[in-house]
């Protein structure tokens, strides 16, 4: 897919994102899914042992924000990316991607104890698949507009079916419709997070995309934790196990992988690959951790089927905007400043 040149002064999408073939992007995102499974387990155990479910999310986001901040201070290229972002004149709402990540982390902390992991996971993936189809069709991600083909719809449905298969035998809590819909909305938020963060990254740099993600998400997580009494209640009992505090580092890895995956294959396929990795990571944790349930064939089948869904969704994919070629959002923004653009978005 050829891309029109960007305007002078506007940052082009990263060379890595443009050059990375789809199979490599899907592989990286799948590995990031394994990291996501470890992150979720660490955050959940930390919150439980510290005495408040939101404390795991607080440590996760503060750790990630600290690492990204240190990276900005240490790397001149990161500061260059932020300067390019200031010049890009992206719409204000493109900076809100981190809210989706904050929403799903906080929702999980409160919804999982009621619905159970199985129902929450299925609802989240259903929302993420629906959101992936929608944002890809709208062209919010740098890959441009992706048509709503039968292959993409089939891939989304297959992904939900695969996750349902993986959750067979898991305990089910109280099926409250409102909480199920909140979990679906959380999945939609994650799809928007992936698209908007990638759009910010395409207009500047991956480092800038990560800065915006954590700068948006962390204050929200802290506010919710404060309202829940996690920051003002009884003093937490912090465990001494170091691995419980790795959520922030794993979060940075996950966000970075998504910033690479979305420009290469779109939001839907990136989300499906991430879920496949999460199921694979959960399988490894179950098999390797002392006292775990061991190898569960439904989870293995679900992981393989979800990865198949990501491949199915890519069959016959074309990036088109009307009858012409796709125009990635970052480049449409840059086009506003070209002579004769009239201050309007192209397309």
């Amino acid at each position: 897919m050829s891309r029109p040149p960007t305007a002078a002064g506007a940052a082009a999408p990263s060379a890595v994102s443009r050059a990375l073939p789809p199979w490599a992007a899907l592989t990286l995102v799948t590995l990031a899914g394994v990291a996501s499974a470890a992150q979720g387990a660490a955050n959940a155990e930390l919150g439980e042992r510290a005495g408040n479910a939101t404390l795991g999310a607080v440590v996760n986001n503060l750790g990630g924000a600290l690492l990204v901040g240190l990276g900005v201070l240490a790397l001149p290229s990161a500061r260059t990316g932020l300067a390019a972002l200031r010049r890009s004149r992206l719409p204000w709402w493109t900076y809100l991607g981190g809210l989706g990540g904050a929403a799903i982390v906080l929702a999980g902390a409160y919804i999982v104890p009621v619905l159970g992991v199985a129902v929450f996971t299925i609802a989240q993936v259903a929302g993420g698949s629906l959101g992936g189809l929608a944002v890809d069709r709208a062209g919010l991600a740098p890959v441009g507009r992706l048509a709503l083909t039968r292959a993409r719809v089939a891939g989304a449905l297959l992904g939900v079916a695969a996750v349902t298969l993986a959750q067979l035998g898991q305990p089910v809590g109280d099926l409250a419709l409102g909480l199920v819909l909140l979990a679906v909305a959380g999945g939609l938020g994650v799809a928007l997070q992936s698209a908007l963060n990638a759009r910010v990254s395409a207009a500047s740099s991956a480092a800038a995309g990560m800065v915006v993600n954590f700068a948006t998400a962390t204050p929200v997580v802290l506010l919710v934790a404060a309202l829940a009494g996690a920051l003002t209640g009884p003093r937490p009992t912090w465990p001494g196990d170091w691995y419980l505090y790795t959520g922030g580092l794993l979060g940075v890895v996950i966000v970075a992988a998504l910033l690479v995956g979305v420009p290469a294959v779109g939001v839907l396929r990136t989300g499906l690959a991430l879920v496949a990795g999460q199921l694979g990571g959960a399988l490894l944790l179950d098999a390797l951790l002392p006292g775990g349930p061991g190898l569960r064939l439904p989870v293995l089948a679900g992981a393989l089927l979800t990865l198949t869904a990501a491949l199915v969704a890519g069959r016959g994919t074309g990036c088109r905007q009307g009858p012409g070629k796709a125009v990635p959002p970052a480049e449409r923004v840059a086009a506003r400043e070209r002579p004769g653009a009239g201050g309007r978005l192209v397309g």
Side-chain angles (χ1 to χ4, degrees):
M1 181 181 69
S2 61
R3 296 177 183 267
T6 55
S14 79
V16 174
S17 296
R18 286 183 308 190
L20 202 64
W23 68 265
L26 290 173
T27 299
L28 284 177
V29 174
T30 303
L31 293 175
V34 177
S36 179
Q39 179 196 42
N43 288 346
E45 185 174 347
L46 177 60
E48 180 181 355
R49 291 172 61 178
N52 191 294
T54 59
L55 288 176
V58 169
V59 171
N60 176 90
N61 280 76
L62 285 178
L66 176 62
L67 289 173
V68 171
L70 291 175
V72 171
L73 293 176
L75 300 174
S77 59
R79 298 191 293 275
T80 301
L82 290 174
L85 184 59
R86 287 195 296 270
R87 296 192 300 269
S88 67
R89 299 185 183 180
L90 288 175
W92 62 269
W93 47 267
T94 58
Y95 296 95
L96 302 181
L99 296 182
I104 197 63
V105 170
L106 293 169
Y110 291 101
I111 296 177
V112 168
V114 180
L115 296 181
V117 174
V119 175
F120 175 78
T121 303
I122 295 168
Q124 175 195 341
V125 172
S129 297
L130 177 63
L133 287 170
V135 298
D136 281 344
R137 179 65 183 88
L140 292 182
V143 73
R145 289 184 178 177
L146 298 176
L148 195 63
T149 63
R150 283 180 292 182
R152 290 176 58 74
V153 174
L157 294 176
L158 184 60
V160 177
V163 173
T164 304
L165 171 64
Q167 300 305 319
L168 289 179
Q170 294 296 305
V172 176
D174 299 325
L175 292 179
L177 178 60
L179 293 181
V180 171
L181 293 177
L182 280 178
V184 172
L188 289 168
V190 172
L192 281 171
Q193 176 194 26
S194 299
L196 295 181
N197 285 348
R199 185 167 178 168
V200 169
S201 176
S204 51
S205 68
M210 286 193 285
V211 169
V212 170
N213 177 83
F214 283 99
T216 304
T218 302
V220 174
V221 171
L222 290 175
L223 175 61
V224 173
L227 293 176
L231 305 181
T232 57
R235 185 174 180 179
T237 304
W238 297 108
D241 301 301
W242 63 268
Y243 58 87
L244 296 178
Y245 301 91
T246 59
L249 173 61
L250 295 172
V252 171
V253 171
I254 296 163
V255 172
L258 294 178
L259 290 176
V260 171
V262 170
V265 297
V267 175
L268 173 64
R269 298 180 70 195
T270 297
L272 291 172
L274 185 71
V275 171
Q278 288 172 332
L279 292 175
L283 191 68
L284 288 174
L285 291 173
D286 288 345
L288 298 178
L289 290 180
L295 181 65
R296 291 185 290 153
L297 291 181
V299 179
L300 175 60
L304 295 175
L305 195 57
T306 309
L307 195 56
T308 301
L311 299 176
V312 168
R315 295 191 61 183
T317 296
C319 301
R320 291 188 172 273
Q321 174 141 330
K325 296 178 181 178
V327 182
E331 297 181 5
R332 291 203 295 270
V333 171
R336 291 186 307 182
E337 302 182 23
R338 295 190 191 122
R344 293 180 291 109
L345 286 176
V346 175

